[in-house]
Amino acid sequence: MSSRMRDDFSLTAEQREMRDLVRTIARDRIAPLAAHVDEAEVYPAEPLKRLGEQGLMGLYIPEAYGGTDMGTLAFCLAVEEIAWACAATATIYLVQYAGGWPIVAAGTEAQKRRYLPRLASGEITAAFSLSEPGAGSDAASLSTRAVRKGDRYVLNGVKLWVSNGSKASVITLFATVDPGRGKGGVTAFLVEPTFPGFALGKLERKMGIRGSPTVALHLTDCEVPVEHRLGEEGEGYKLALRVLDGSRPAVGAEAVGIAQAALDAAVAYAKERQQFGQPIAAFQGIQFMLADMAMQVHGARLLVHHAASLVDRGAVTTVLESSLAKCFAADAAMKVTTDAVQIFGGYGYTREYPVERFMRDAKITQIYEGTNQIQRLVIARELIRR
Ligand code: COS
């Protein structure tokens, strides 16, 4: 990765070692499959298994439950490396954090023992389900209903855009115990696909990250035992927002990985492609594009590292920094990948080269884990509030 800026000045030896391991797996095992994973829309099972075998699924899980507890920055380093090779694999990888971290944060001892060791080893995977057909940015308006009946809750509703929902053995799913209470009614549940009344819905056909399955979930009198409620009734909304503190920098890291891959490809191509008797890298117009791309990638990476480090230091909330990192990195990825296609010219517009895939994959980072409009709203609100 010759066009990569130095960024290891603030990393520990342990973080660097872990990152180098992920980089090797990404280069040798994930990147060679990425075009096929995209074209055929297949689940990258083998690379994910490999990541599990190497202990890389449990970076956010305490050692007592089989993880390595390396923290959010380490997790973001891993996500970037995987996204550099294959954004679909990176999405699956980061979704198991969004699904599993709430168990670390709010789970009972029994819930932790039931799921965390198997999540850490990669034996099972998790998903996160907040959005609904009518509740996206306005997450608190969700309408999936949970009614307590004795020792169980009965859930009814439709959840949408559930990344990895068809592969997960446990889904951190948000429903309301009382729509009249707004945010105060939102409650989290650990739903398993074997529960009666649970059914997978439509598999989305997406523009990018096509190896990462995105599904709807149908809950029809779905029976969830009370011991599968995560936290208390009404605590779900805050838990969901806390997840986003860590998962937004991780989406930023995914964007950085995609953008770095596009920059690497653009630099290599500009040195090789001859026009007017010289490599196009000799033209100042191309040089200025490459310089701008490098600034975007490096700036985005530093924002991601900063937000993730704050999460690791236990900052009360990193709402502002997490949104800044996610928003800037996603916009940077969109710009850098679009410019990479431009540098490749007509070739870049074909599926012969990976840059059109990078551009399609980058787009989702501006949309999921809160649209970039929501991130700007959050950033402005924090600025004014302070
Ligand atoms: N950690 C802990 N508590 C938090 C928190 C955090 N990071 N962020 C907010 N809270 C608390 C607030 O302090 C507030 O508590 P009180 O009710 O006691 O005051 C409560 O949670 C609600 O927070 P807030 O009022 O800021 O939330 P809003 O409903 O105004 O948030 C937006 C609105 C639009 C910002 C929010 O709904 C959002 O991020 N939407 C996008 C959803 C999303 O990202 N979806 C995609 C995810 S899945 S792909």
Side-chain angles (χ1 to χ4, degrees), residues 335-350:
K335 176 154 181 22
V336 169
T337 55
T338 305
D339 284 350
V341 171
Q342 190 68 23
I343 287 172
F344 272 73
Y347 293 107
Y349 200 66
T350 72

Side-chain angles (χ1 to χ4, degrees), residues 25-26 29-31 33 37 42-58 75 82 86-97 118-126 164 167-168 211-213:
I25 296 172
R29 311 287 284 257
I30 303 177
L33 300 177
V37 162
V42 291
Y43 191 72
E46 200 282 327
L48 290 162
K49 186 161 165 270
R50 181 85 185 148
L51 291 168
E53 285 164 358
Q54 295 294 317
L56 293 162
M57 288 296 181
F75 182 70
I82 297 168
C86 173
T89 308
T91 294
I92 296 164
Y93 183 75
L94 70 82
V95 159
Q96 50 94 29
Y97 168 92
R118 288 184 295 150
L119 286 170
S121 69
E123 183 191 334
I124 62 167
T125 186
N164 224 22
K167 300 287 179 184
S212 153

Side-chain angles (χ1 to χ4, degrees), residues 95 98 128-131 135-141 160-163 183-184 237-248 316-320 322-323 326 367-371 374-375 377-378 381-382 385:
V95 159
F128 178 84
S129 174
L130 179 64
S131 299
S137 295
D138 185 7
S141 71
L160 213 56
W161 317 124
V162 188
S163 299
K183 298 171 199 173
Y237 190 65
K238 281 190 197 184
L239 179 62
L241 294 181
R242 280 173 64 202
V243 175
L244 299 175
D245 282 352
S247 64
R248 285 179 176 164
V316 178
T317 159
T318 61
V319 173
L320 174 63
S322 292
S323 284
K326 189 276 190 187
I367 297 172
Y368 67 10
E369 228 64 10
T371 64
I374 287 294
Q375 308 307 327
L377 181 148
V378 169
R381 205 165 65 167
E382 289 297 313
R385 191 183 279 172

Side-chain angles (χ1 to χ4, degrees), residues 24 76 91 125 132 136 234 246 282 291 298 301-302 363 375 381-382:
T24 303
C76 287
T91 294
T125 186
E132 296 183 358
H298 191 54
R301 181 180 291 119
L302 295 184
K363 186 64 201 167
Q375 308 307 327
R381 205 165 65 167
E382 289 297 313

